[in-house]
Amino acid sequence: MNINDNYLNLEQSYLFPMIAKRVAEFKKNNPEKEVISLGIGDVTLPLPQVCVKALIKASQEMGQKETFRGYGPEQGYDFLLEAIINGDYKPLGINLSKEEVFVSDGAKCDVGNIQEILSVNNKVVICDPVYPVYLDTNIMAGREISKLICKAENNFVPQIPTEKADIIYLCSPNNPTGSVLTHKHLKEWVAYAKKNNSLIIFDSAYKEYIQDPTLPRSIYEIEGAKEVAIEIRSFSKTAGFTGLRCAYMVVPLELKGQSPKGLVSLNTLWRRRHTTKFNGVSYIVQRAAEAIYTQQGKKEIKEMISYYMQNAKIIKEELGKKFKVYGGENAPYIWLEVPCDSWQFFDELLNKCAVVGTPGSGFGEGGKGYFRLTAFGSRENTLKALERIKKL
Ligand code: MLT
């Protein structure tokens, strides 16, 4: 048998395990040091109590003959689909039907899996610096990729390319730079996609972190976006579900792709794929996700997000005295311009301060000379890390 030799074109390891390996080695050699991680964007606050209560209640239902549930609908239970549509989209004036929303076990998986219904001959445009999953999964598939370097002079907002692309990944609020696309930017991208028959894969996993009420939360706020865009969202960063796992993807009914037989609905293809290869997110987790949309849930989420955004503000203010700093205003990521190579800065921060961040170059060429910190640490650790960095 032959392997998929596209895998040979990948970096040896995915960015975050590579960092984890270096940190583990440092800890082994320096057992007395307390290492603080502001590296991978993993949440530290526990689950909202409203979700915990929902998990307990749903678990009890699963333990009773009368309320036990086996396989659920692959696409997600109606109660969660309705909560998503009414909670996330209706307030924005966006109408979706339940057939258009697919509940899954993570945005990362959706980003990779969606490609299965798209030809390998599509030309992909990927912003750079970028969440590495967009790039690595397209390398795995063997697609032609062009990079759209996002520069500091444009506040790391991707500029519309002059060339034609079939698939474009956009992430707003952005991981890793913390930049956010405005209505104007999104309108330009939707117009570009219409003109070029392209598909936009819009990752808005961090939409809950947008503080500025004038910024768009969904690409479907733009007229005509349903004809060109898939939207991916996650409960990981919204409600601390990184360990629980739940996300969703919107594949609008209007969205069509080309085939030798004519135009085909992406929604139909994705339903076929999803129902064949996925058995749904567990009932108890979907009940926990539903709880986020209750009044109490909304209150707890708001508190959680403002805790992290307060961290972001503190990091930005403090490190702004020492570095040029981007992001952190509508996103949980702070993007620093550092005076040396990104990995060199990583080593220095680890060795001298026992603080872990993420080297900008790990997110691509455009991240060279930059460094990412997250606001997802505890307040205590964030303050401690800043004290140490100040002395660097
Ligand atoms: C990150 O640190 O970039 C994210 O936590 C990774 C992810 O969400 O998969």
Side-chain angles (χ1 to χ4, degrees), residues 72-299:
E74 294 90 348
Q75 208 178 320
Y77 282 100
D78 277 358
F79 63 77
L80 181 54
L81 300 175
E82 280 159 16
I84 290 168
I85 291 168
N86 295 328
D88 281 346
Y89 288 99
K90 263 224 175 97
L92 300 175
I94 298 161
N95 290 317
L96 289 177
S97 66
K98 281 185 280 187
E99 296 76 61
E100 295 173 293
V101 182
F102 295 83
V103 173
S104 77
D105 59 350
K108 182 176 174 180
C109 319
D110 283 342
V111 161
N113 290 338
I114 188 64
Q115 293 169 31
E116 217 177 292
I117 61 165
L118 306 170
S119 163
V120 289
N121 299 322
N122 285 312
K123 191 173 161 196
V124 185
V125 160
I126 292 181
C127 303
D128 181 333
V130 77
Y131 177 45
V133 177
Y134 311 151
L135 180 69
D136 286 3
T137 51
N138 276 290
I139 294 176
M140 288 169 179
R143 289 197 181 84
E144 187 189 335
I145 299 165
S146 48
K147 306 265 185 74
L148 195 56
I149 303 285
C150 301
K151 300 199 177 120
E153 69 225 43
N154 298 319
N155 221 1
F156 295 99
V157 166
Q159 306 297 293
I160 305 284
T162 44
E163 60 191 312
K164 176 180 157 38
D166 302 308
I167 303 171
I168 305 123
Y169 284 84
L170 293 176
C171 177
S172 178
N174 190 264
N175 178 12
T177 65
S179 68
V180 192
L181 300 177
T182 61
H183 285 93
K184 181 173 173 285
H185 295 133
L186 286 182
K187 263 187 203 156
E188 286 168 7
W189 278 107
V190 168
Y192 170 89
K194 281 198 164 174
K195 184 169 156 227
N196 292 293
N197 285 326
S198 337
L199 169 69
I200 297 173
I201 300 180
F202 188 69
D203 179 351
S204 62
Y206 300 94
K207 58 113 185 160
E208 217 60 49
Y209 288 84
I210 298 177
Q211 307 294 300
D212 179 346
T214 66
L215 289 167
R217 265 66 177 167
S218 165
I219 194 162
Y220 304 126
E221 288 181 43
I222 309 303
E223 210 186 311
K226 282 189 187 163
E227 290 154 44
V228 293
I230 281 174
E231 184 157 274
I232 297 177
R233 287 169 163 199
S234 163
F235 296 103
S236 287
K237 316 294 157 88
T238 302
F241 273 45
T242 50
L244 211 52
R245 312 304 309 148
C246 198
Y248 67 87
M249 180 156 67
V250 177
V251 186
L253 293 168
E254 289 92 328
L255 193 54
K256 304 270 177 2
Q258 287 152 59
S259 85
K261 295 184 180 165
L263 291 178
V264 175
S265 155
L266 259 58
N267 180 285
T268 307
L269 293 188
W270 181 248
R271 177 167 300 102
R272 186 70 174 87
R273 192 271 176 205
H274 195 76
T275 50
T276 307
K277 292 200 175 183
F278 189 59
N279 256 337
V281 172
S282 72
Y283 171 67
I284 61 170
V285 170
Q286 290 193 57
R287 280 293 186 198
E290 180 199 22
I292 296 164
Y293 295 96
T294 59
Q295 216 165 7
Q296 177 62 17
K298 282 183 200 155
K299 184 173 160 274

Side-chain angles (χ1 to χ4, degrees), residues 12 14 57 61 132 147 160 165 196 220 231 254 262 351 353 362 369 374:
Q12 213 172 2
Y14 179 56
K57 183 167 175 278
E61 284 175 37
K147 306 265 185 74
I160 305 284
N196 292 293
Y220 304 126
E231 184 157 274
E254 289 92 328
N351 291 315
C353 310
T374 87

